[in-house]
Amino acid sequence: AFLLYKKPPEKVLVIGVGGAPDLQSALYFNAKKVVGVEVNHSVLLALRKFLPKLAKDPRVELIRSDGRSYKGTEGAVGGV
């Protein structure tokens, strides 16, 4: 949905990281900050193992949490 904006978004929240295509797309379209929230720890471990460059990118923050719970916290990306 962030592709609908005329200018690149400052922040993108991805709930359910999976294989990380949404994280990669957000970075490709110049998002300044991408927060990926994933409930399954194994998915985050696999991401760090198989896509280490993406996982270590300073623009990317990976969080292990339920997306519904995270959206209600102070650290959540506003306006998403």
Side-chain angles (χ1 to χ4, degrees), residues 5-78:
Y5 293 100
K6 293 187 182 200
K7 64 178 187 168
E10 294 272 328
K11 298 177 181 178
V12 175
L13 173 63
V14 177
I15 297 175
V17 174
D22 295 324
L23 298 176
Q24 293 171 323
S25 294
L27 294 175
Y28 178 82
F29 287 99
N30 300 315
K32 294 182 181 186
K33 172 106 175 145
V34 183
V35 178
V37 180
E38 176 61 54
V39 71
N40 188 337
H41 186 62
S42 297
V43 170
L44 295 177
L45 290 176
L47 184 79
R48 289 185 176 106
K49 180 178 180 178
F50 295 109
L51 297 170
K53 204 183 248 189
L54 178 67
K56 293 177 183 175
D57 189 307
R59 299 168 293 171
V60 175
E61 181 180 359
L62 298 173
I63 297 173
R64 182 177 178 222
S65 177
D66 179 75
R68 295 168 294 183
S69 300
Y70 179 77
K71 184 65 178 119
T73 67
E74 280 185 42
V77 178

